[in-house]
Amino acid sequence: MFKKSFLGGKNEERVIEKIKKHIKILYTACETFKSALEKQDIEKMLTVSDLEREGDIVRREVLSNIYEGAFLPFIRPNICKFVEIMDNVLDELKNAAQVYDMGLKLDKDIRTDCIEIAHLNLNMCEMLSITFEALCEGQDLREKMLVIRIYEKKVDEMKLDLVKKLMGREIKTFWEGKVLSDFISYLSNISDIIEDASDYLQILNISIR
Amino acid sequence: MKAKEIMNRKIEYIKFDATVYDAIEKMVDKRIRSLVVKPRDEQDVYGIITVRDIVFRVIGKGLDPQKIKVDETASKPLVCVDKDMDIEHIISMMEKFNIARIFICEKKKILGVVALLDVMAGSLIERAKGG
């Protein structure tokens, strides 16, 4: 009953496939970002912006498909909100990539922590994808959401440590400090936004029961 | 799931000649339950001092924490495993030795630590991924 009401007909299936594509783009963007950070590869980092644009196109398609008649009207706003939150993750990732491209200098200690956060963000994307699949199959999302919260907590702790480390450092210019601070903020905000996205999956889960 | 996937790289150290009181201060400040005790010299090994050790071996016996060195209270050597060890094996080691944390080491270097909470989180992640 649940599965039937959520997946519905062809229009719904088309939207579901596009949302899956959107999540896949997000995963690829997170993976590209992490790999570029590890290898200090600026060229690769710039491809994150391309993925963000690709994500934008899919988001618009999802929104127009929904308002062409997919899903019952009361579910539509929550699906739209979920897609928009995922797009915010891509925006934040693009911002981090662009700031990195501004000649950001990360010493080994800070870079290791940033790579770890990027790795956790990637794991959260994977879990978001698993949670979405579970929603489509009418499964319980509770355990999946707990894991997303565990990852988010870890990122929060790492952010706090990073800020403490940075507070003890000498910053030579305002812009050097701002770029570094922005980079850490963008990178660590991603986990918060993914958690928000997973909350919307739970709202969808409850609303279509 | 392997140890390296769930380990925590954040490890707090304390010098071997610090007092137990110094250790208490550090634990309270940083809200942690254990500290790795640095070796005395190249022949020595790392040790660990936990809240449990302090309560049972010092406070419980009416000893003065300001007069006892961490080196006298710490457990040595650390229980170390390889970064590729499976989570199931880690759980059985924790149960067998009745310990709450296992260190991940490479040669003489500590890479990270896996505590009970990390094991619990790791098993939840594995379960959610359908592993």
Side-chain angles (χ1 to χ4, degrees):
Chain A
M1 179 66 189
F2 170 84
K3 196 171 175 179
K4 197 179 170 190
S5 66
F6 187 57
L7 289 178
K10 280 189 179 173
N11 282 343
E12 283 78 11
E13 272 178 30
R14 201 167 59 200
V15 171
I16 299 284
E17 283 314 308
K18 280 183 181 156
I19 293 176
K20 283 181 185 173
K21 189 179 171 187
H22 202 195
I23 298 176
K24 200 173 174 189
I25 291 170
L26 178 60
Y27 184 86
T28 310
C30 282
E31 200 174 31
T32 307
F33 181 90
K34 182 191 158 244
S35 167
L37 196 59
E38 277 172 334
K39 293 172 187 160
Q40 300 180 51
D41 184 342
I42 297 287
E43 287 294 313
K44 197 169 191 177
M45 193 60 96
L46 292 173
T47 60
V48 173
S49 298
D50 299 335
L51 287 162
E52 190 270 336
R53 274 193 292 276
E54 210 180 308
D56 258 351
I57 295 165
V58 178
R59 175 180 61 94
R60 283 189 207 105
E61 286 173 357
V62 170
L63 298 183
S64 55
N65 284 166
I66 284 174
Y67 286 102
E68 277 164 13
F71 297 102
L72 293 168
F74 78 96
I75 302 174
R76 289 176 193 167
N78 287 335
I79 298 176
C80 294
K81 186 72 185 168
F82 171 71
V83 176
E84 275 162 16
I85 294 175
M86 281 211 305
D87 209 61
N88 291 344
V89 181
L90 276 167
D91 285 343
E92 210 72 352
L93 207 55
K94 180 194 74 179
N95 290 339
Q98 285 179 343
V99 167
Y100 186 82
D101 185 39
M102 285 177 183
L104 180 71
K105 288 184 187 109
L106 297 171
D107 62 37
K108 199 187 163 199
D109 200 18
I110 302 289
R111 180 184 306 282
T112 306
D113 286 351
C114 290
I115 291 169
E116 181 67 26
I117 293 177
H119 182 67
L120 288 167
N121 287 341
L122 185 62
N123 285 338
M124 288 183 82
C125 281
E126 186 191 9
M127 196 45 66
L128 190 69
S129 170
I130 291 171
T131 311
F132 186 73
E133 291 282 352
L135 173 77
C136 295
E137 287 167 16
Q139 293 173 16
D140 185 21
L141 309 186
R142 197 175 167 191
E143 289 190 13
K144 273 90 180 160
M145 295 194 56
L146 176 62
V147 168
I148 287 179
R149 291 213 302 275
I150 289 171
Y151 281 135
E152 202 275 330
K153 181 98 173 55
K154 279 190 183 183
V155 174
D156 258 5
E157 283 170 7
M158 292 203 70
K159 183 188 179 182
L160 201 67
D161 279 354
L162 256 176
V163 171
K164 278 181 188 168
K165 275 183 198 172
L166 291 173
M167 278 168 72
R169 291 180 191 221
E170 187 192 350
I171 301 291
K172 286 170 189 154
T173 68
F174 168 79
W175 291 108
E176 184 192 321
K178 177 161 175 34
V179 165
L180 182 58
S181 167
D182 285 352
F183 180 76
I184 304 288
S185 294
Y186 292 138
L187 189 60
S188 52
N189 284 347
I190 289 168
S191 61
D192 282 330
I193 309 173
I194 294 177
E195 193 186 19
D196 290 347
S198 78
D199 286 343
Y200 265 89
L201 288 183
Q202 179 68 341
I203 290 169
L204 272 170
N205 193 22
I206 294 165
S207 66
I208 56 186
R209 268 178 202 273
Chain B
M1 190 166 262
K2 310 279 184 196
K4 63 185 173 190
E5 293 170 68
I6 54 168
M7 74 178 184
N8 195 334
R9 287 184 181 82
K10 196 174 134 190
I11 297 169
E12 293 293 337
Y13 294 89
I14 190 160
K15 284 185 180 171
F16 71 93
D17 56 353
T19 65
V20 169
Y21 194 82
D22 294 330
I24 293 172
E25 275 187 332
K26 201 163 185 174
M27 285 175 180
V28 171
D29 286 346
K30 297 195 178 277
R31 293 183 182 188
I32 48 175
R33 294 177 195 180
S34 67
L35 293 166
V36 171
V37 181
K38 288 184 177 175
R40 282 175 173 273
D41 48 46
E42 283 190 5
Q43 273 73 49
D44 198 11
V45 290
Y46 284 103
I48 183 167
I49 183 162
T50 64
V51 172
R52 192 183 167 88
D53 297 333
I54 294 172
V55 171
F56 295 138
R57 295 179 190 169
V58 181
I59 298 171
K61 288 186 178 166
L63 301 171
D64 184 353
Q66 297 219 36
K67 289 179 183 163
I68 313 278
K69 303 281 184 197
V70 288
D71 202 33
E72 299 167 41
T73 316
S75 304
K76 282 187 179 182
L78 295 179
V79 178
C80 280
V81 299
D82 187 79
K83 62 181 186 299
D84 289 318
M85 182 170 275
D86 287 326
I87 194 169
E88 291 80 13
H89 201 154
I90 288 178
I91 294 171
S92 65
M93 280 181 80
M94 284 174 155
E95 193 177 12
K96 186 178 170 189
F97 298 120
N98 190 26
I99 49 175
R101 49 192 74 74
I102 283 185
F103 288 84
I104 313 303
C105 307
E106 201 168 58
K107 292 175 185 168
K108 280 191 167 182
K109 199 178 163 198
I110 302 173
L111 301 178
V113 61
V114 174
L116 281 171
L117 203 64
D118 302 315
V119 173
M120 194 171 72
S123 63
L124 284 168
I125 291 166
E126 201 164 47
R127 197 179 143 98
K129 281 182 178 174

